[in-house]
């Protein structure tokens, strides 16, 4: 009997491909990327170590500079006072990212500057700052009994004084009833009710710009501003350094049947130049 031998068909399975076989071509790129990452991390660690060496971290200091035309800031002795507004934390390092921005923010917040035009740091640890500084033009007697410096825009500058004498060399603004603004803010800002101070500052800025006048005037008195005490008396009174009164008249821009501002200035200059023995001058007529 013939046996039929049934041939068993064996199914041969191909071995499964490795899971990451398709990524083989990327291996060299990954290796290069790994080398780059290790190198970058190593360089960063090295940089931090180098920067921690004392010679790369000198003691920090701030040096204030000024643009041409602002020599007054040094001649009048304001530069050290302005510089004292900057405080550098003891842990601050020369190459800290926020070092320069922090100094600039302090300068802007001090009330002394309109803007910071340039700020740099040197490897000697000196931070040089050049600013547009606000120049004090007068000392204003507040309703709190203190004198405060103000600039031509009516901005209140830092510091206050108990007394400013008539022969101190400063123009004094007297008779202001409005409360003073915060340091770095101006009279007349934000709808403040301080028209007397605004008028006085405007006149002070005008007189300060006249070399023939500024050194002869010691006071601007707005006690009777807008005739609030006596409508028949002059609204603004000036005082010379030899204690003679000058009737200025109404605030600038509020004149009624008075000479124009230019005419008042011209008459004032002529009166001061003549050294007239006249006890007072009236510029309002």
């Amino acid at each position: 009997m013939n046996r039929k031998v049934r041939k068993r068909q064996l199914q041969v399975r191909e071995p499964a491909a490795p899971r990451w076989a398709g990524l083989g071509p990327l291996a060299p790129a990954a290796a290069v990327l790994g080398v780059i990452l290790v190198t970058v991390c190593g360089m960063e660690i090295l940089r931090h170590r180098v920067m921690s060496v004392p010679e790369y971290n000198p003691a920090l200091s701030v040096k204030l500079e000024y643009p041409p035309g602002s020599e007054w800031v040094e001649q009048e002795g304001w530069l050290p006072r302005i510089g004292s507004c900057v405080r550098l934390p003891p842990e601050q390092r020369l190459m800290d990212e926020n070092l320069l921005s922090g100094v600039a923010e302090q300068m802007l917040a001090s009330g002394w500057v309109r803007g910071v035009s340039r700020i740099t740091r040197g490897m000697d640890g000196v931070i040089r700052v050049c600013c547009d500084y606000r120049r004090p033009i007068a000392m204003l007697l507040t309703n709190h009994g203190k004198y405060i410096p103000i600039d031509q825009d009516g901005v209140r500058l830092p510091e206050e004084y108990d007394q400013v004498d008539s022969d101190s060399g400063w123009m004094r603004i007297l008779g202001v009833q409005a409360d003073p603004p915060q340091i770095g803010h101006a009279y007349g800002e934000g709808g403040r009710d301080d028209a007397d101070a605004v008028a006085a500052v405007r006149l002070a800025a005008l007189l300060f710009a006249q070399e023939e006048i500024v050194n002869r005037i010691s006071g601007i008195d707005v006690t009777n501003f807008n005739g609030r005490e006596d409508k028949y008396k002059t609204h603004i009174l000036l005082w010379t350094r030899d204690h003679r009164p000058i009737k200025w008249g109404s605030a600038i821009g509020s004149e009624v049947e008075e000479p124009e501002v230019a005419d008042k200035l011209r008459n004032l200059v002529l009166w001061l130049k003549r050294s007239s023995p006249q006890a007072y001058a009236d510029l309002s007529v």
Side-chain angles (χ1 to χ4, degrees), residues 43-57:
M43 293 297 293
E44 188 66 18
I45 293 173
L46 179 61
R47 188 181 75 86
H48 281 291
R49 287 183 178 179
V50 171
M51 289 305 172
S52 64
V53 177
E55 53 262 34
Y56 286 96
N57 289 283

Side-chain angles (χ1 to χ4, degrees), residues 137-138 140-143 148 150-155 173-181 186-189 192-205 220-223 225-226 228 236 251:
I137 64 168
L140 187 148
L141 179 61
T142 70
N143 57 357
I148 58 174
I150 50 96
D151 78 341
Q152 63 182 3
D153 300 316
V155 173
I173 295 177
L174 311 171
V176 171
Q177 295 183 2
D179 288 332
Y187 281 99
E189 184 179 87
R192 290 169 48 88
D193 183 19
D194 48 13
D196 53 354
V198 172
V201 169
R202 187 176 181 185
L203 179 54
I220 300 174
D221 192 336
V222 292
T223 301
F225 178 72
N226 279 348
R228 59 189 170 195
I236 299 179

